Amino acid sequence: LFELMRLGGNGSVRGIENGEFVGRDLAYDQSSFGISALALTDLFRKKAGGAAAVADNHNIGGFDLANFYLVGFYDRGRVLNSAHLADLLSVGPALHSYGIAGELRKLPGGGKLANISIGWAKSPQSRLHSRGVMIIGVNFDF
């Protein structure tokens, strides 16, 4: 049981708890799309001051709006007990989740740059989290 593949968590299908579904074979994909807060503010901001005022006003509360992103995502994955490659690559029924997150990029941390993501994900197939789950992720650029 401890050697089986576990589906769920930030590494595969967000919105499903890691290990909620297990099997011998695992396949998943994650799709994300996002826009920077700077692009959003430029879209809705009145450009009364011209391009120079827009370029100078992208720091709010010490955060650079060019490094803050609003991200939407859709994940899907499958765990199977058969060992057929065609089953894993099938576009048939799979577990899926969707959600939204805020992502801060290029934060200094231990001599490296860190990216922090905080958001919410929901999977209709989750038995443990029917209303969704908060997700938190940290990664470092090397």
Side-chain angles (χ1 to χ4, degrees):
L1 181 63
F2 295 108
E3 294 179 8
L4 293 176
M5 300 286 197
R6 300 182 304 172
L7 185 68
N10 280 342
S12 59
V13 179
R14 298 164 278 198
I16 295 177
E17 189 170 316
N18 188 9
E20 192 172 340
F21 296 93
V22 295
R24 296 196 185 285
D25 292 310
L26 169 73
Y28 68 90
D29 62 88
Q30 294 184 327
S31 304
S32 299
F33 54 93
I35 186 167
S36 73
L38 181 60
L40 280 174
T41 57
D42 286 349
L43 185 66
F44 295 108
R45 182 185 309 173
K46 293 181 181 178
K47 298 188 180 189
V54 170
D56 291 339
N57 193 16
H58 62 84
N59 254 342
I60 294 179
F63 291 109
D64 186 2
L65 291 179
N67 293 327
F68 180 75
Y69 286 79
L70 182 62
V71 179
F73 58 84
Y74 176 78
D75 303 338
R76 88 186 273 282
R78 302 169 61 112
V79 287
L80 300 169
N81 286 320
S82 64
H84 301 286
L85 182 62
D87 289 337
L88 283 175
L89 299 177
S90 169
V91 292
L95 302 167
H96 63 275
S97 71
Y98 51 87
I100 191 165
E103 188 170 308
L104 282 169
R105 296 185 181 172
K106 299 182 181 177
L107 296 172
K112 307 279 185 205
L113 293 178
N115 303 319
I116 298 174
S117 177
I118 300 173
W120 173 84
K122 179 170 179 13
S123 173
Q125 293 91 4
S126 177
R127 295 179 197 133
L128 299 176
H129 306 289
S130 61
R131 294 185 178 171
V133 63
M134 183 176 179
I135 57 168
I136 299 173
V138 177
N139 62 32
F140 294 93
D141 293 338
F142 290 98

